[in-house]
């Protein structure tokens, strides 16, 4: 027992006698001191960008969004001003909010008051059109990862989304803060809108650009020796045009930007080459050759009123959404899909009802015949794959599909590309998103 007391006494002396100077400081600092220094360095990097930062911020559900931020702008400590390409207001109205750099295992950038960043995670679909309870799955707090002389790289704490900051120059700062951002976004959309089809030529091959603003994706495709090649990526807007993420391949290189210069667009490659985008009246391939290959099929989001749909088509397409509006406590939204199974020559029609995380499908499968000379589809042999709760609210679409031959064509409108079904006699037209 005496030996035990002696041992405890020795241990207590060693512990209480240990001071900071007794610790082997590999980096001449304690871990807390090193982390505090990292925290201060991180904040200094944020505020020392003289003209602020051009930012690309990812989400898990809707691609990339563009931002401009200036930390401690005009000497206002712990305040950040920002604009974003989320919508027309956020692109034009400069917002000021609180931010903080804190330490949680690593330096963290935290946006303390509600601002444009929070729109990407707002759980109310009525705010930005995100998913109930999740928004677009965007982050509000970001860990510092690494830095280069002109860039910083952060990662979201919750969803591990990426935030990339690149130093802006004076001209870019002035544009962002004085309405130039919205003007640039509208100018890019206007060029695509005026170009029925947007093409460019690179290394002897013609490419078609297909932007999708609602999905924030851009697709580039080509036709080489009758073989269709497609590549797509997500994009965000900057005052210089569109920043393209992902490996969007053309030839042996990839596209990183679509630049706006005056009233023209130029594709910029990874190696810095710039190729002018030109307008065409004709797509590389008609939609009836792309459906089921380049596109899975047609989609109609809840309450969508797409250009090109006539009154007869509207009556057919709104039937399912009226069910949701009549029973708002039972359903959150609805959706219609037409899916092409080209190898088996079948089309699947889906009427989907959503409530929280649950999906209630009504699903029919049809055989189809396609006449390449007339471009007409004719459906037959309906099979019910899933009856579902939407059975009595897709009867008009079901009847149309079984009793009408129809064509499938592109519809180009305001820089966007859609798929349009037209009955043989022309009395009914219905426009859908391509997906």
């Amino acid at each position: 027992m005496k030996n035990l007391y002696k041992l405890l006494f020795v241990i207590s002396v060693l512990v209480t006698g240990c001071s900071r100077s007794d610790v082997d400081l590999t980096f001449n600092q304690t871990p807390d001191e090193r982390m505090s220094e990292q925290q201060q360095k991180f904040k200094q990097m944020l505020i020392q960008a003289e003209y602020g930062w051009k930012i690309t911020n990812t989400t898990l559900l809707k691609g990339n969004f563009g931002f401009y931020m200036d930390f401690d702008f005009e000497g206002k400590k712990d305040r950040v001003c920002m604009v974003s390409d989320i919508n027309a207001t956020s692109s034009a109205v400069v917002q000021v909010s609180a931010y903080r750099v804190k330490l949680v295992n690593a330096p963290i950038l935290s946006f303390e008051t509600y601002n444009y960043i929070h729109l990407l995670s707002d759980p109310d679909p009525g705010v930005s059109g995100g998913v109930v309870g999740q928004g677009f799955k965007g982050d509000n707090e970001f860990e510092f990862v690494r830095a280069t002389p002109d860039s910083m790289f952060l990662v979201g704490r919750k969803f591990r989304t990426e935030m990339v900051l690149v130093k802006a120059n004076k001209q870019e700062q002035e544009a962002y803060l004085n309405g130039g951002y919205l003007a640039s976004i509208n100018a890019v959309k206007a060029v695509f809108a005026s170009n029925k089809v947007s093409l460019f030529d690179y290394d002897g091959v013609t490419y078609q650009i297909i932007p999708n603003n609602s999905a924030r994706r851009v697709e580039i495709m080509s036709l080489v020796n009758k073989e269709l090649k497609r590549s797509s990526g997500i994009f965000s807007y900057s005052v210089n045009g569109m920043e393209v993420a992902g490996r969007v391949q053309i030839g042996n290189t990839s596209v990183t930007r679509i630049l706006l210069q005056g009233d023209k667009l130029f594709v910029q490659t990874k190696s810095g080459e710039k190729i002018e985008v030109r307008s065409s009246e004709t797509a590389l391939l008609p939609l009836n050759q792309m459906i089921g290959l380049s596109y899975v099929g047609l989609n109609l989001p809840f309450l969508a009123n797409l250009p090109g749909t006539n009154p007869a088509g509207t009556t057919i397409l709104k039937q399912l959404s009226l069910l949701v509006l009549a029973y708002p406590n039972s359903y959150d939204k609805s959706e219609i899909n037409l899916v092409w199974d080209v190898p088996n020559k079948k089309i699947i029609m889906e009427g989907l009802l959503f409530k929280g995380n649950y999906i209630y499908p009504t699903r029919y499968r049809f055989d189809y015949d396609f006449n390449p000379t007339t471009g007409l589809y004719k459906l037959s042999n309906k099979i019910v794959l899933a009856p579902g709760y939407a059975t009595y609210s897709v009867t008009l679409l079901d009847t149309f599909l079984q009793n009408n031959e129809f064509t499938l064509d592109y519809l180009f409108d305001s820089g966007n590309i859609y798929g349009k079904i037209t009955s043989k006699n022309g009395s009914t037209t219905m426009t859908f998103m391509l997906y």
Side-chain angles (χ1 to χ4, degrees), residues 2-195:
K2 288 182 179 180
N3 289 336
L4 176 60
Y5 284 132
K6 288 180 181 179
L7 178 60
L8 291 173
F9 175 75
V10 171
I11 292 173
S12 67
V13 170
L14 289 174
V15 172
T16 57
C18 182
S19 67
R20 181 183 185 279
S21 60
D22 297 320
V23 179
D24 180 14
L25 299 179
T26 305
F27 302 98
N28 295 318
Q29 292 176 306
T30 66
D32 284 346
E33 288 172 336
R34 291 200 301 274
M35 294 298 286
S36 178
E37 183 178 337
Q38 288 183 29
Q39 181 182 7
Q40 293 304 313
K41 285 183 177 178
F42 176 48
K43 183 166 185 178
Q44 286 302 309
M45 283 190 288
L46 286 174
I47 66 178
Q48 285 178 358
E50 184 178 2
Y51 302 112
W53 300 92
K54 300 176 293 182
I55 296 175
T56 299
N57 185 33
T58 68
T59 64
L60 294 188
L61 298 184
K62 200 172 182 181
N64 286 2
F65 289 85
F67 287 81
Y68 168 83
M69 296 186 194
D70 192 351
F71 296 88
D72 286 11
F73 80 109
E74 297 179 346
K76 298 176 182 177
K77 187 178 180 182
D78 299 330
R79 294 292 182 269
V80 56
C81 75
M82 68 174 69
V83 287
S84 174
D85 68 351
I86 298 171
N87 54 49
T89 299
S90 65
S91 302
V93 178
V94 178
Q95 187 180 66
V96 179
S97 66
Y99 81 95
R100 182 160 64 105
V101 173
K102 57 186 181 181
L103 201 61
V104 184
N105 297 324
I108 303 292
L109 170 60
S110 176
F111 295 94
E112 299 289 287
T113 53
Y114 193 92
N115 58 35
Y116 294 145
I117 280 283
H118 295 85
L119 293 179
L120 304 182
S121 58
D122 196 295
D124 181 357
V127 174
S128 297
V131 175
V132 175
Q134 302 180 86
F136 298 132
K137 287 192 175 181
D139 281 296
N140 304 325
E141 293 188 327
F142 299 85
E143 298 176 7
F144 171 72
V145 177
R146 63 186 179 91
T148 65
D150 67 348
S151 303
M152 295 177 66
F153 300 84
L154 284 65
V155 63
R157 293 191 68 200
K158 184 176 182 180
F159 297 115
R160 312 308 290 175
T161 59
E162 296 179 352
M163 177 181 278
V164 179
L165 298 80
V166 179
K167 288 181 179 178
N169 59 40
K170 185 176 182 180
Q171 182 180 5
E172 290 169 333
Q173 181 192 52
E174 291 175 350
Y176 277 113
L177 297 180
N178 294 286
Y181 199 9
L182 180 59
S184 175
I185 293 170
N186 288 339
V188 171
K189 291 179 179 179
V191 176
F192 278 122
S194 63
N195 295 350

Side-chain angles (χ1 to χ4, degrees), residues 287-297 339-348 366 368-370 377 408:
L287 183 55
N288 55 44
Q289 293 184 40
M290 297 284 286
I291 202 74
L293 299 174
S294 181
Y295 303 105
V296 174
V339 181
W340 262 251
D341 177 2
V342 174
N344 296 305
K345 298 191 69 176
K346 298 182 186 300
I347 292 175
I348 296 173
F366 303 88
Y368 75 81
D369 289 315
F370 175 70
Y377 288 89
L408 177 65

Side-chain angles (χ1 to χ4, degrees), residues 225-240:
N225 297 324
K226 297 185 179 180
E227 180 184 356
L228 180 67
K229 295 185 177 182
R230 302 168 53 232
S231 187
S232 66
I234 52 182
F235 73 84
S236 59
Y237 287 102
S238 73
V239 290
N240 302 311

Side-chain angles (χ1 to χ4, degrees), residues 88 199 210 288 302 340 350 399:
L199 305 177
I210 304 174
N288 55 44
F302 181 51
W340 262 251
E350 294 180 324
T399 300

Side-chain angles (χ1 to χ4, degrees), residues 148-365:
T148 65
D150 67 348
S151 303
M152 295 177 66
F153 300 84
L154 284 65
V155 63
R157 293 191 68 200
K158 184 176 182 180
F159 297 115
R160 312 308 290 175
T161 59
E162 296 179 352
M163 177 181 278
V164 179
L165 298 80
V166 179
K167 288 181 179 178
N169 59 40
K170 185 176 182 180
Q171 182 180 5
E172 290 169 333
Q173 181 192 52
E174 291 175 350
Y176 277 113
L177 297 180
N178 294 286
Y181 199 9
L182 180 59
S184 175
I185 293 170
N186 288 339
V188 171
K189 291 179 179 179
V191 176
F192 278 122
S194 63
N195 295 350
K196 184 174 181 180
V197 177
S198 294
L199 305 177
F200 68 93
D201 302 302
Y202 179 75
D203 199 20
V205 176
T206 297
Y207 294 86
Q208 181 175 342
I209 306 174
I210 304 174
N212 186 330
N213 281 298
S214 61
R216 302 183 77 87
R217 297 193 67 85
V218 61
E219 179 179 359
I220 295 181
M221 66 180 189
S222 62
L223 192 62
V224 180
N225 297 324
K226 297 185 179 180
E227 180 184 356
L228 180 67
K229 295 185 177 182
R230 302 168 53 232
S231 187
S232 66
I234 52 182
F235 73 84
S236 59
Y237 287 102
S238 73
V239 290
N240 302 311
M242 301 165 67
E243 302 293 318
V244 180
R247 192 167 177 78
V248 183
Q249 196 76 20
I250 58 168
N252 295 320
T253 187
S254 58
V255 174
T256 58
R257 292 181 180 87
I258 298 176
L259 296 174
L260 174 69
Q261 296 185 352
D263 60 353
K264 294 183 178 181
L265 294 178
F266 295 82
V267 169
Q268 181 173 315
T269 68
K270 188 176 181 180
S271 54
E273 300 165 283
K274 290 197 302 184
I275 310 108
E276 185 174 348
V277 177
R278 57 186 174 85
S279 177
S280 173
E281 291 293 312
T282 307
L284 291 183
L285 280 177
L287 183 55
N288 55 44
Q289 293 184 40
M290 297 284 286
I291 202 74
L293 299 174
S294 181
Y295 303 105
V296 174
L298 308 178
N299 166 262
L300 186 73
F302 181 51
L303 296 179
N305 185 20
L306 302 179
T309 299
N310 70 1
T314 299
T315 300
I316 293 171
L317 295 180
K318 74 177 183 180
Q319 187 185 18
L320 185 57
S321 60
L322 289 176
L323 174 66
V324 177
L325 297 176
Y327 297 96
N329 294 327
S330 299
Y331 309 112
D332 296 325
K333 63 178 182 178
S334 64
E335 195 171 284
I336 294 173
N337 293 315
L338 292 173
V339 181
W340 262 251
D341 177 2
V342 174
N344 296 305
K345 298 191 69 176
K346 298 182 186 300
I347 292 175
I348 296 173
M349 187 271 281
E350 294 180 324
L352 306 179
L353 292 167
F354 297 80
K355 181 61 179 177
N357 293 323
Y358 293 95
I359 303 175
Y360 304 99
T362 294
R363 189 173 289 119
Y364 304 152
R365 187 181 69 202

